Structures are given as structure tokens and as C-alpha cells.
């Protein structure tokens, strides 16, 4: 009988030790299982095919995308916010002539650069946007300022520029935004349409230039160590655009959306279709209400909603667990991501 | 044996007669069971309480809402489209000084009227919008023109006005948009903030005037005999608005949304919250993905999404079966609906 109790006691002790070890495991797991922070970016979708891009240009674009990723990642890595990370990543692309945003923005019908940008914070659903601004070096910084400093979400045109001046946002002269390539794009579109050419004389038209006037928007989505998601988009819009057209990039829910409960998304493509389908918000709602993965939700929106209307483009995003996804129905999309679990990817073409 | 066959024959004949009658019934049913067409409108939500409105003013507003409903309904009744119906209904309110749209639009910080409008067709998901336009008599007509005539969804500011001029849209001088009441609102807001007053001298300030500077947007949603839904919204925005602020009214998915598969919605209230929640599109998605009634979806968005962020306002809508719904978290909302099954309702206050 005594022996029986000894066994019983040993049994109970060992069970409780096992349970204790299990609890310990859980604690360890939750300590080591930090939220994997991550950033994903795009530099526009379109007719991006290997045969159209020289090896030198390919390297240049790849390096710039990597620089953008690194800039955002560095902020996340030291515990910075996803808002700061997406802004830093976009600044790199806005400061490069390679993308249709900031310095490399395309020309509107009057030969001017007219830019849109938006940013959104998934924790608070705060958002800021600017539409049709000229001579602003980094439109995404102005969108961020709108979000942070006034109770409006969206400012536009001369009013947004006045607001920028009051807050000492950096302006640049027209010449800063001039790129031969974008000017030639404008000339080609105008010549094709038989429209009057703007003041600057158009020589040296590169006839082999790929007509990417609809594409090239830049975007970034990040999740930080606190699990907060942010998304942002910046663009020069469409070459030869008229009538102060506003595309999807500055429209919360179309070009940009972030929600800590679901995901963050940034869009690029023929903006009107992304507005009509509320592409970024629709993606988030499909994740939330249909319980689809972000990857499947993006595919659903691009291929079953945007494409049937005649639209094309792509979207990037990441979900609340830091899982990255993208999709596009164009030939290619400049894109990349970097995650704290050691992944680093940059791609340009369809694959 | 012969008798047996006779019975069999009679039996077969009677079975086929009964079936035939059943088919006939079905045909009759589908002929008489026409889609009930309907229109629902709002003239803004806000601090609308019986004690603030004189019986004469109450009658004036009620009559104008009825006139708006009748204008839209008349078009539906003769087999016209829901797009034409919402446009006609909104024109009535834009041409009245009673609402914050068109003639009655509030003044911006510079003492100018700066208007926004959008329209969407539920069958095609086509949409048109204008933001920050001045001197346009009926901004909703310009939004419709954008939808119908170019491959852009959204135009803004001077560009949208240039587009309007090219298409012979009706302009009015500043004096047409001047209303003592709106001017006094601007003066009061500016005085409260200690801001410099615009040029016109401000006498005769009505101290009892209800500060409704955030509200008064107009909207309409209709379903026609073919089951096509359309939604539209028009506004003067916020009194004393600065920096070419764009609110929710011209944003597809925030102020306006229509989808034949779900519903049509028009919003009014503190626009920024309707942008951040994509209120109109969110309502449609809740109907689609959570299978809630439109009434419950509107309630969910206003009370569980907009209100927790600090926003207020209201929404109207109707679903694909022509069932009308509205909800608001303000004291009241100018609103009404008229349905082909014989219902006609106009209300102003919370009840």
C-alpha cells in the first residue's frame, strides 16, 4: 500500500513537472516568437519585360529598390514605426528619377509635374493625402504632415501647397523634376494624339522607349515590432493628364489602405479601375469577411474584379502576421520585400 | 379495358392541364411582380431639432425634400434610369438655398464656394466625381459628365472647371451662390477662431443661428424598373475650409457607392471619418460578405465604426430589392423616400 502511494506521488510529481515544462515552453515561445517585422515595396507595374531593359538599367533599378527596402527596414530594425519606415522607403524612390513619383514624376498636359500621395496607419485608421501638388520634393512627406497635423484627410492643389509652405515642407524648382525620358513620353503621347506640344522643344525622341505613361507609381507597406501596419503610395499620375485628374494613389481605400486587424495594401496601375473597385479596401474586407489569405484576396481583386472591367496593374501588401503578398496582371512589377526572419527579395519581371 | 384507357387518357389530360395552369400562374406572377422602383434622398444630417426650426422653415424644407423626391420618382415612373433620377433629385436640392450644395453651398476660408460631387452606377461600377469646383451651378451634372464622357473618374479644381467650360456646363457668378445665412456662418467661425475676415463686411449676424457648418450635404439613391441602382452626393463641404480640403462626398466608396449586387449608399457628416472607414463601400461589403440587411449594415458602420473614431453623420441607401434604409447618430437628418408600392415619407428629426 505504501509502495502504491509512493508511485502515485511520483506519478503526480512527474505530471506536474511535464506540465510545468510545457508552460515554460509556451513562455519561451512567446518570448522568442516576436512579431516578424517586414517591409514590402513596389515601384510600379506595367510592360516590364527583360527584353526591354538593358542589364545596366536592370541593375540600377534593382539597386534602388534594395536601397528603398534597406531604408525602411533600418527603421523597423531599431524599433521605429511602420509609418516612418514606409515614408523612408518611398522617399528613396521619390528622390530617384527611375520611378513615376517625386523627381521622376511624369508630365501633365501642360508640361508640369502634378503629384499625388497618401499614407495610412493601421492602428488608428488615421490617414493623410494630397492630390495634384506641384514642386513638392516628397509628396509623401506632405501627406504624412496632413495626417499628423490637421483634422483633414485630403488636401489638394494650390491649397495643399500653401499648407506645405506654412509647414516648411521642401519645394523644388521645375528643373529638379525634369527628366528627358518623361519629357519624351509626353511628346510621344501628344504627337500620337495630334495635340499641341508644350513650350519646351522636343528633340531627341527615343523611338524605342517603352510607353509606360500609365504606370510607375511607388508604394510601401510595413509592419513594425509592435505589430502596427502602415501603407503609403506616391505618384506623378498619368503622362499628359488633363483637367487636374485625380487617380487612385491619393484615395484612401483605392490606392492605399492599412488596418491592423487585416492587412496593409498599396496599388499601382490604371487608377480609375482601382477607384471603382476600392481595390485596397476591398482586399482588406475579403481578408476580414471572407477569411481568405492576403495572397488570395489580392488575386481575387485583381483578376476577378479589376481585370473584368478592363483594368490592369498590381498590388503589394502584408498581413497582421507579417506575411507578404503581391499580385499583378501586367507583364511585370518592380517589387521587393525584406523580413526580419531573414528574407530579402527583389524582382522586376513576371514569374 | 377500354374504360381503363379512357380513365388513363382523362387522367393524363387533367395532369397536363393542371401543369399548364401552374405555368400560366408563374408567367402571371413574373409579369405582375415587377421590381419595385424607389428613390431615397437626404439633405444633410446634424443638429436638427424641432425646437431650432420654425414651423415655416420646417414646411419649406419638407416641401423641398418632397419636390426632390417627386423629380426623381417621375423619371423612374416613366421607365427612366436611376442615374437620371438621382441627378434630377439632387438638382432640386442644389438649386435651393436650403442645403449645403450648389446655390446654398457654404463658404470656404477665402469667402468662396468650393463644391464637391460624385455619382456612381451600380450596373457597370462606372463613376464620376469632381472636387473643389467653383461657380458650377450643378456640380452633380459635372460629375455625371465626367462619368459619361472621359476615361477618368475624378477631376478637380481649375482643371475640372476647364473641362466643364469645354462641355458647356452651366456656370453662375459668385452672387448666385451668396446666401446671408452661409456668409454669417463663415463670419461666426472666423470670429470664434480669431481669424481675419474676408472682404465682404459682416453685419447682421444672427446669434441664434445653429452652427451646422459641418453638415448639409445632399444625396440620393435610386433603383429603376430594370433593377439598376445609382447613387449620388453633392456638397459645399465645410464652412471656412482651407487648403482645398477634399471631404468624403466626391470620394467613391466614402460618400457615394452603388453596386447592383448589393446596394447604393450616400453619406453625410464629418467627411474625414467616412473616408477613413470607406463608409459607403464598407456598408456594401457588409451586405455582401456578412449577409446583413442594409439597415443593419448601415447601423454597424455608423455606430460601430464611425462613432468610435469620433465621427458623426448619417447614411441613406436602398438594396437590390428596392428596400430603403437609413441611419444616423446626429440629432436629425433631412430625409425621405418614395417607392412604387405606394410609400412616401419625409422626415427631419430623430425618431
Amino acid at each position: 500500500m505504501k509502495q502504491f502511494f509512493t508511485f502515485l506521488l511520483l506519478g503526480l510529481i512527474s505530471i506536474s513537472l511535464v506540465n510545468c515544462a510545457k508552460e515554460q515552453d509556451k513562455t519561451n515561445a512567446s518570448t522568442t516568437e516576436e512579431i516578424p517585422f517586414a517591409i514590402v515595396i513596389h515601384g510600379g507595374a506595367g510592360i516590364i519585360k527583360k527584353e526591354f531593359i538593358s542589364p545596366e538599367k536592370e541593375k540600377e533599378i534593382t539597386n534602388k529598390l534594395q536601397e528603398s527596402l534597406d531604408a525602411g527596414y533600418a527603421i523597423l530594425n531599431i524599433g521605429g514605426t511602420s509609418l516612418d519606415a514606409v515614408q523612408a522607403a518611398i522617399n528613396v524612390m521619390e528622390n530617384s528619377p527611375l520611378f513615376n513619383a517625386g523627381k521622376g514624376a511624369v508630365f501633365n498636359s501642360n508640361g508640369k509635374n502634378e503629384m499625388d500621395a497618401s499614407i495610412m496607419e493601421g492602428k488608428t485608421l488615421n490617414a493623410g493625402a494630397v492630390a495634384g501638388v506641384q514642386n513638392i520634393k516628397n509628396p509623401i512627406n506632405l501627406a504624412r504632415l496632413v495626417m499628423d497635423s490637421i483634422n483633414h484627410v485630403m488636401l489638394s492643389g494650390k491649397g495643399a501647397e500653401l499648407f506645405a509652405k506654412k509647414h516648411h515642407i521642401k519645394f523644388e524648382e521645375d528643373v529638379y523634376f525634369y527628366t528627358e525620358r518623361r519629357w519624351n513620353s509626353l511628346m510621344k503621347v501628344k504627337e500620337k494624339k495630334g495635340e499641341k506640344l508644350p513650350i519646351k522643344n522636343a528633340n531627341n525622341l527615343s523611338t524605342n522607349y517603352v510607353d509606360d505613361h500609365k504606370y510607375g507609381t511607388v508604394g510601401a507597406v510595413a509592419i513594425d515590432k509592435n505589430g502596427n501596419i502602415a501603407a503609403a503610395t506616391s505618384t506623378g499620375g498619368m503622362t499628359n493628364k488633363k483637367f487636374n485628374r485625380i487617380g487612385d494613389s491619393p484615395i484612401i481605400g483605392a490606392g492605399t489602405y492599412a488596418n491592423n486587424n487585416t492587412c496593409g495594401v498599396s496599388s499601382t496601375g490604371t487608377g480609375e479601375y482601382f477607384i471603382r473597385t476600392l481595390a485596397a479596401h476591398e482586399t482588406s474586407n475579403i481578408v476580414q469577411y471572407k477569411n481568405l489569405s492576403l495572397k488570395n484576396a489580392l488575386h481575387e481583386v485583381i483578376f476577378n474584379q479589376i481585370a473584368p472591367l478592363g483594368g490592369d496593374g498590381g498590388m503589394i501588401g502584408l498581413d497582421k502576421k507579417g506575411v507578404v503578398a503581391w499580385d499583378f496582371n501586367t507583364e511585370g512589377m518592380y517589387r521587393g520585400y525584406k523580413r526580419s526572419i531573414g528574407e530579402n527579395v527583389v524582382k522586376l519581371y513576371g514569374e
Side-chain angles (χ1 to χ4, degrees), chain A residues 6-70:
Chain A
T6 309
F7 275 116
L8 184 67
L9 194 66
L10 282 172
L12 284 171
I13 287 168
S14 57
I15 285 169
S16 82
L17 277 174
V18 166
N19 277 339
C20 189
K22 275 184 186 166
E23 283 304 312
Q24 198 70 37
D25 271 358
K26 270 190 208 165
T27 317
N28 287 343
S30 69
T31 311
T32 54
E33 202 182 76
E34 271 185 340
I35 296 156
F37 56 92
I39 183 162
V40 53
I41 60 167
H42 70 76
I47 311 166
I48 298 166
K49 292 176 96 166
K50 208 171 170 67
E51 53 263 45
F52 295 150
I53 298 174
S54 68
E56 297 75 33
K57 184 63 78 182
E58 182 183 289
K59 200 175 169 192
E60 201 186 341
I61 294 165
T62 305
N63 288 349
K64 193 53 77 175
L65 290 171
Q66 187 62 56
E67 187 187 329
S68 167
L69 280 176
D70 291 344

Side-chain angles (χ1 to χ4, degrees), chain A residues 176-241:
Chain A
Y176 169 82
F177 298 95
Y178 177 81
T179 52
E180 189 77 25
R181 174 186 166 212
R182 299 301 190 192
W183 187 261
N184 291 350
S185 285
L186 176 64
M187 294 302 111
K188 285 186 74 179
V189 173
K190 286 213 171 268
E191 280 184 343
K192 215 163 139 186
K193 293 190 170 186
E195 289 177 10
K196 217 177 113 192
L197 304 187
I199 301 154
K200 189 176 186 302
N201 236 329
N203 300 317
N204 189 28
L205 295 191
S206 150
T207 47
N208 292 322
Y209 188 70
V210 180
D211 180 11
D212 65 350
H213 64 278
K214 281 186 195 163
Y215 313 99
T217 298
V218 306
V221 186
I223 184 166
D224 58 32
K225 287 184 177 177
N226 292 315
N228 289 323
I229 299 173
T233 311
S234 181
T235 192
M238 290 170 70
T239 296
N240 198 35
K241 71 177 167 187

Side-chain angles (χ1 to χ4, degrees), chain A residues 134-306:
Chain A
Q134 295 184 0
N135 300 99
I136 304 288
K137 188 183 182 195
N138 294 108
I140 201 67
N141 297 3
L142 184 53
R144 174 79 187 268
L145 185 72
V146 170
M147 184 181 94
D148 289 346
S149 63
I150 47 166
N151 60 351
H152 292 328
V153 169
M154 194 172 185
L155 303 183
S156 61
K158 295 296 158 209
E161 290 163 24
L162 182 65
F163 176 77
K165 279 197 186 102
K166 286 198 176 197
H167 288 82
H168 312 294
I169 282 277
K170 196 160 169 54
F171 279 67
E172 292 286 356
E173 297 293 320
D174 284 357
V175 67
Y176 169 82
F177 298 95
Y178 177 81
T179 52
E180 189 77 25
R181 174 186 166 212
R182 299 301 190 192
W183 187 261
N184 291 350
S185 285
L186 176 64
M187 294 302 111
K188 285 186 74 179
V189 173
K190 286 213 171 268
E191 280 184 343
K192 215 163 139 186
K193 293 190 170 186
E195 289 177 10
K196 217 177 113 192
L197 304 187
I199 301 154
K200 189 176 186 302
N201 236 329
N203 300 317
N204 189 28
L205 295 191
S206 150
T207 47
N208 292 322
Y209 188 70
V210 180
D211 180 11
D212 65 350
H213 64 278
K214 281 186 195 163
Y215 313 99
T217 298
V218 306
V221 186
I223 184 166
D224 58 32
K225 287 184 177 177
N226 292 315
N228 289 323
I229 299 173
T233 311
S234 181
T235 192
M238 290 170 70
T239 296
N240 198 35
K241 71 177 167 187
K242 298 180 176 76
F243 309 124
N244 299 128
R245 171 253 189 190
I246 297 177
D248 64 318
S249 300
I251 306 286
I252 298 302
T256 302
Y257 187 73
N259 188 328
N260 274 9
N261 295 322
T262 53
C263 58
V265 174
S266 171
S267 314
T268 175
T270 41
E272 278 69 14
Y273 300 94
F274 288 75
I275 293 178
R276 290 164 58 196
T277 55
L278 280 305
H281 184 245
E282 179 74 15
T283 301
S284 168
N285 275 354
I286 290 176
V287 168
Q288 183 170 9
Y289 298 133
K290 291 181 79 176
N291 216 18
L292 257 63
S293 69
L294 176 60
K295 188 177 172 56
N296 289 340
L298 289 172
H299 192 82
E300 162 79 18
V301 173
I302 293 172
F303 288 87
N304 298 338
Q305 298 193 28
I306 289 170

